Amino acid sequence: MTSPAPHPVLTVDWAGETIIVSNVDRELPASPVGDDRSEVVTVAASNPLTPLPVDAWHAVARAVVTPGAVSAQLRPAKTVNGSLLMEEHVEGATLRSVLSKTWLLELFPGIQPRTSMEAMQTPDPRVEGVTDNGRASTLLRYTYRDLDHLKKHVWQTIQGTLAQNNYAPSIVSRKVTRALITHPVEFAFEDGTDSVYALVVRDGITRLASAWKVLAGPTATEAEAADMAVAALFGSVAPSKPGEGRPLTQRMAISREAKRLDLAGEFARDWAGAEPGMRAVQIAQTYVMPAQIAVGAQQHPGGLAAGDLFDDAMRSILASVHLEFKEWDSAAQNVEVATRALKRVMQLGLGGWDKDELQVVYGLAVGRTPVADLPTEYGDDTIPGTALWRAVYLVHALTHPDLYGPIKEQSKAIKGERRMADKGFAGLLGPIVDQPWRSSKKDVTKQARNAWANGGVLTKDILTVPWKPLPTRDFTSLVDLARAGDEDARGTLAVAGGIALIADKLLTRNVGSALMAPKDKGGVPFRADVNVVIGDLAMADNEAGLWTLALAAQRFEADRLPRNSVTTRQIVRKPTAVPDSDYVHVVVDLSRPDRIARDAAGQPVALTQWDVVWASDERRARRDTAARPSPVTYFLPQVGGAVLPQDTVGGTGADTSDEDSPGVSAPALSTAQLAADECRALKEALDDARRALDALGVLEPELGTWPPLFTIESLGALHSAAQALEHELYQRLKAQTDELEQEEDEKLEAEEEAED
């Protein structure tokens, strides 16, 4: 018996790299018939372990390649242990899933944990669990402003993910082999647009985004891959309100199925011969994806509320993988560690707090509870529903003497650490506290989180002296109470004012170089940890310090940065970073009725980090600064707000009034004319490049901290192209300069010979 002849090795060129394609299929899977999909919905409805609304089951049925196999897994078992559903046990819950191949075009990216702690231009949706008659289910509701918000969020997730990492070469070689973790989702919209049901990917978003990169092609940028994904997933379907014709979910599903059939046609046309073409390989390797689809969640006794159960269980699964295996960045890890530790405290009944109270804290911590709902959640209408008060109540709860120890112990256990200092715990709180203003204050997010890691607002008294927040709409009204020794007033001012100073970059982690820096460049009179400075500001006998905290908290705005959060270096490097508003933190002058220092023109004096540290311990500041020369203050001319160049606002900047008329042939140009035109084109192209770079500098502050304006690869390519152009122009310039110098030398020699 002869063995079958081996298949010839198939290789493709991918972005300059030769890749061996190991498993490309000759035929694509056929679309299932409607009866098979209907069976999934019918069987699932009869299984008590999989409570999902019918719209969610239709989304599952549309997504799977083999509905019959999924129906077999969903069919109710006759015995307890006879179920074919995959089971996973996590803290407080058991999750049940089916395994199946799914269509790429039926998978939407979920919130990307790797970048969700970054300041992104498009905000994440509001996430809430959907229950079935009080029972937990695996359906989540993602609420967006409108359909355009969803499209932008999908685009941002794919583009931002690819900017960080992508597995395109691997997928070209051997497809996606590890299952994505998915579950049904309802995309709801605040503007009343009809809800959309689909499958959302929670783990494997990088693999999903990379598949779109493969489909877009080797030369496609991250943005172009995201453009293709959005166009394919949404098509040209217009939003509609409920009851206006066919549901939006169905119309979008029909659009995606049509796109999938178009891809199948491309595949067939590009594999007409013995071997597939490049396009056929791209389609074959991405057409379907392996997926684990969560369809059931069973609540354990003493767990979270039914509406919070599934999302928390899913976060636990993801965090267990990415804290121990493929690490997220530190901010993403910190949020997961802190929220999981809080959940464990709730489940174990540690700390003595009422479970309903902890449920409120948990909702605030994970961003599930809107800021405006703060008074309702605490049953106190005197609490302002603001981002700063959310932060105050969160810090109060998470650092309460009854809870601080248990949460810290559970955090250590999750991180696998033997000890955790107070500063380490403060670092966990930073990305939880800054969630509402992360985007609007993105330019100083890094410095703020460093300040939290340096102790944040976790002063000695906050951690050891019992206190509770005093709700008020005027923080300055708490100063007299704090001076009289009221611990609630002192704690409220320390936390609220300290958070405001940290968030607006008026209190940062001290480093040695800051001692020698000028006042207007972030200098400080002495070194001290952030929590020590805030603790000293909040001392009952420090009137100037208490007023500094009160005014900072009172003037704090969550949706923008103050003028004095911008350093001299930022002004020089990025003129548009200078806010043009009246939002500014101010220096304290105890001799004035309003306690605000003013200059000769009557304008408030802008606060600096030097002033904050000085106010914390004036005696030490005077002593330490007397021993060294005063810092030099540099004055800069006033910097106005930069505007986009005229050509970047509208139009191309080209004069099109002299376009050739139809039917009139243009006269042939001479070589000299062509050369002149090309020289002019070269000059205009360089001018355009300069304008584009300046325009990007104007737009950069609006982008957030992730994805970066340029990746290392894209910036390297631009730099190499610019260097190559610069080198050639320099060589031409040098050749002409040398020729001119040679002519001058020859002329000089001729004159000298004539004189002789």
Side-chain angles (χ1 to χ4, degrees), residues 27 157-158 193 379 398 469-470 538 552 568 574 626 656 748:
E27 294 183 357
T157 302
I158 292 176
T193 296
L398 298 177
L470 281 183
T568 300
K574 195 189 320 183
T656 60
L748 182 60

Side-chain angles (χ1 to χ4, degrees), residues 191-449:
D191 68 348
T193 296
D194 201 10
S195 290
V196 173
Y197 290 82
L199 282 193
V200 69
V201 175
R202 295 295 295 275
D203 182 63
I205 296 176
T206 303
R207 280 166 272 158
L208 178 69
S210 300
W212 282 110
K213 175 66 174 70
V214 170
L215 200 56
T219 62
T221 64
E222 293 87 357
E224 289 168 341
D227 288 339
M228 170 179 276
V230 170
L233 292 172
F234 294 93
S236 57
V237 177
S240 61
K241 300 295 189 291
E244 296 179 354
R246 178 173 286 179
L248 181 59
T249 286
Q250 291 184 15
R251 291 188 288 120
M252 286 180 58
I254 292 171
S255 173
R256 293 194 301 272
E257 187 163 12
K259 177 62 178 178
R260 192 168 71 243
L261 294 176
D262 288 344
L263 289 175
E266 283 189 68
F267 173 83
R269 289 190 296 274
D270 201 48
W271 199 339
E275 289 191 355
M278 185 62 196
R279 185 59 178 162
V281 171
Q282 292 171 245
I283 295 171
Q285 302 302 78
T286 59
Y287 202 63
V288 299
M289 311 277 282
Q292 173 185 331
I293 307 169
V295 294
Q298 180 181 340
Q299 187 173 18
H300 294 173
L304 299 175
D308 297 333
L309 181 78
F310 172 65
D311 187 45
D312 180 80
M314 182 60 65
R315 289 162 64 106
S316 294
I317 291 175
L318 303 184
S320 66
V321 173
H322 293 283
L323 290 177
E324 302 160 9
F325 179 46
K326 294 186 176 180
E327 290 192 350
W328 291 328
D329 63 31
S330 59
Q333 290 190 37
N334 286 345
V335 169
E336 293 302 325
V337 168
T339 53
R340 285 178 67 193
L342 176 58
K343 185 188 67 173
R344 285 187 179 182
V345 168
M346 295 170 63
Q347 292 171 337
L348 297 174
L350 305 176
W353 275 41
D354 182 75
K355 185 176 179 180
D356 290 338
E357 289 182 286
L358 290 178
Q359 191 73 46
V360 171
V361 176
Y362 185 83
L364 291 172
V366 299
R368 196 171 292 153
T369 302
V371 169
D373 291 351
L374 193 64
T376 303
E377 292 293 330
Y378 278 94
D380 186 350
D381 292 338
T382 65
I383 302 175
T386 66
L388 184 57
W389 277 105
R390 166 194 175 270
V392 170
Y393 274 86
L394 263 179
V395 171
H396 168 256
L398 298 177
T399 60
H400 191 279
D402 292 339
L403 292 179
Y404 181 65
I407 294 176
K408 191 174 176 182
E409 286 299 316
Q410 295 302 323
S411 297
K412 288 193 300 182
I414 292 169
K415 290 176 70 71
E417 296 178 352
R418 301 177 65 178
R419 63 182 302 273
M420 177 180 288
D422 293 341
K423 289 182 181 179
F425 188 82
L428 298 181
L429 300 186
I432 293 178
V433 167
D434 70 20
Q435 188 267 337
W437 55 76
R438 191 178 299 146
S439 296
S440 56
K441 299 179 186 289
K442 55 187 172 292
D443 286 338
V444 299
T445 296
K446 180 177 180 181
Q447 293 88 343
R449 289 180 179 170

Side-chain angles (χ1 to χ4, degrees), residues 395 399 404 422-423 425-427 429 452 455-463 531-532 534:
V395 171
T399 60
Y404 181 65
D422 293 341
K423 289 182 181 179
F425 188 82
L429 300 186
W452 278 97
V457 298
L458 271 61
T459 69
K460 180 179 178 181
D461 287 347
I462 289 297
L463 295 178
N531 59 329
V532 173
I534 294 174

Side-chain angles (χ1 to χ4, degrees), residues 368-631:
R368 196 171 292 153
T369 302
V371 169
D373 291 351
L374 193 64
T376 303
E377 292 293 330
Y378 278 94
D380 186 350
D381 292 338
T382 65
I383 302 175
T386 66
L388 184 57
W389 277 105
R390 166 194 175 270
V392 170
Y393 274 86
L394 263 179
V395 171
H396 168 256
L398 298 177
T399 60
H400 191 279
D402 292 339
L403 292 179
Y404 181 65
I407 294 176
K408 191 174 176 182
E409 286 299 316
Q410 295 302 323
S411 297
K412 288 193 300 182
I414 292 169
K415 290 176 70 71
E417 296 178 352
R418 301 177 65 178
R419 63 182 302 273
M420 177 180 288
D422 293 341
K423 289 182 181 179
F425 188 82
L428 298 181
L429 300 186
I432 293 178
V433 167
D434 70 20
Q435 188 267 337
W437 55 76
R438 191 178 299 146
S439 296
S440 56
K441 299 179 186 289
K442 55 187 172 292
D443 286 338
V444 299
T445 296
K446 180 177 180 181
Q447 293 88 343
R449 289 180 179 170
N450 285 341
W452 278 97
N454 191 234
V457 298
L458 271 61
T459 69
K460 180 179 178 181
D461 287 347
I462 289 297
L463 295 178
T464 58
V465 178
W467 69 282
K468 63 179 183 294
L470 281 183
T472 180
R473 296 189 180 277
D474 182 6
F475 284 98
T476 63
S477 66
L478 302 180
V479 173
D480 288 341
L481 289 173
R483 292 183 63 200
D486 188 304
E487 296 300 340
D488 295 341
R490 287 184 59 231
T492 301
L493 288 177
V495 173
I499 289 173
L501 293 171
I502 290 172
D504 283 335
K505 200 188 169 188
L506 286 164
L507 188 54
T508 63
R509 180 179 59 188
N510 274 214
V511 292
S513 58
L515 287 174
M516 303 305 296
K519 180 177 179 179
D520 63 336
K521 289 190 174 182
V524 292
F526 59 84
R527 289 188 65 182
D529 291 335
V530 170
N531 59 329
V532 173
V533 172
I534 294 174
D536 289 342
L537 288 171
M539 296 299 291
D541 59 355
N542 188 350
E543 184 178 3
L546 290 169
W547 273 102
T548 298
L549 292 169
L551 288 172
Q554 188 64 28
R555 301 174 78 89
F556 180 78
E557 297 183 22
D559 58 353
R560 56 178 177 165
L561 282 169
R563 290 203 308 269
N564 46 333
S565 70
V566 183
T567 65
T568 300
R569 181 180 299 177
Q570 285 176 307
I571 294 174
V572 173
R573 180 173 57 87
K574 195 189 320 183
T576 54
V578 185
D580 58 1
S581 70
D582 57 354
Y583 177 27
V584 61
H585 289 294
V586 295
V587 174
V588 169
D589 183 350
L590 297 177
S591 66
R592 301 187 66 90
D594 61 0
R595 305 298 193 274
I596 298 176
R598 299 181 183 274
D599 59 20
Q603 296 299 312
V605 178
L607 187 71
T608 67
Q609 182 168 221
W610 180 285
D611 300 316
V612 174
V613 177
W614 186 285
S616 71
D617 192 340
E618 184 175 349
R619 180 179 300 177
R620 180 183 175 186
R622 292 186 182 280
R623 183 190 69 220
D624 287 12
T625 54
R628 66 177 187 273
S630 300

